[in-house]
Amino acid sequence: RAMFRNMAASLIRTLRSEPTAENNPKVAGRIITTIPKAKELRPFVEKLITMAKKALPHEEAAEQFATQAERNSAEWKTWRTSDQWQKWAQAIAPAVQYRRRAFSLLRDHEAVDILFAELAPRFRDRPGGYTRIIQIADRRLGDSGRQALIEFVGERDRVKARKAPAVVASGADEEPAESEAAPANA
């Protein structure tokens, strides 16, 4: 369980890595692991993304009651004691619950922030299937284990280019037009 927690956090954290970092991934949103681990990790990550997606409507509903005032300012303190704050707290409560559940599974604050801030809006309209597993031909060096990539779908997706069907000019269409034009001139 701890291994999947760490792998999921690593996969999510690759989305927000700094280019100057020492362990910077080559491609964001992708990790390499063994095939069985990738197959077990996939439902774990997809459940986390589903949780984050379920929190989106609650966060949007709470925005109408929120304030733009800086924290601990006089305006913020007035809002905090008003009825608007009560409505905001009531509207945001389910989203907070989803964040806490995600944190209990991941145990990584940065990964939870990335999950709710970046991945949930990215997959908002997608009904499922947020990750893909691609098997790699190379075997792992130490034990010759079969390797696979697990990555988020949506970016860098290869789209098959479909060739347009060839337009075949039919001689039957051209002949009646010419034959109709010929008697009119005669």
Side-chain angles (χ1 to χ4, degrees):
R1 188 171 177 190
M3 177 185 64
F4 290 122
R5 175 182 292 160
N6 290 332
M7 288 174 64
S10 295
L11 177 63
I12 293 168
R13 290 178 86 173
T14 59
L15 292 173
R16 199 186 284 172
S17 61
E18 296 182 23
T20 59
E22 182 178 312
N23 295 329
N24 188 27
K26 291 180 183 177
V27 180
R30 177 188 290 177
I31 61 170
I32 298 175
T33 184
T34 61
I35 294 173
K37 286 180 187 176
K39 287 181 179 181
E40 289 292 322
L41 178 65
R42 185 180 204 171
F44 186 79
V45 171
E46 295 203 3
K47 286 175 187 171
L48 288 168
I49 295 172
T50 302
M51 255 191 273
K53 279 178 51 177
K54 286 180 180 179
L56 279 178
H58 300 291
E59 290 174 353
E60 291 168 355
E63 281 294 316
Q64 65 182 344
F65 303 116
T67 183
Q68 300 298 327
E70 187 175 328
R71 192 175 181 109
N72 293 328
S73 66
E75 182 183 345
W76 184 84
K77 288 178 182 179
T78 306
W79 171 76
R80 184 75 159 82
T81 58
S82 70
D83 187 43
Q84 287 290 85
W85 182 81
Q86 293 292 331
K87 291 178 183 175
W88 175 82
Q90 195 72 21
I92 200 75
V96 172
Q97 179 223 1
Y98 284 123
R99 278 184 178 267
R100 288 178 178 164
R101 285 178 52 198
F103 180 76
S104 72
L105 292 172
L106 278 178
R107 291 290 181 201
D108 188 341
H109 287 291
E110 183 182 357
V112 171
D113 288 341
I114 295 169
L115 181 67
F116 282 81
E118 295 177 21
L119 286 175
R122 178 173 158 185
F123 294 122
R124 170 183 299 245
D125 298 327
R126 191 175 183 98
Y130 313 114
T131 58
R132 85 167 58 93
I133 298 171
I134 302 171
Q135 295 185 16
I136 301 174
D138 296 337
R139 299 257 181 169
R140 193 163 52 191
L141 191 57
D143 61 353
S144 188
R146 297 184 63 212
Q147 293 183 312
L149 292 171
I150 182 165
E151 66 181 0
F152 294 112
V153 298
E155 292 184 14
R156 297 174 310 279
D157 285 347
R158 286 183 270 161
V159 179
K160 289 185 179 180
R162 293 188 178 183
K163 294 181 181 177
V167 178
V168 179
S170 173
D173 291 341
E174 295 174 3
E175 290 177 10
E178 292 174 8
S179 63
E180 290 174 6
N185 291 338

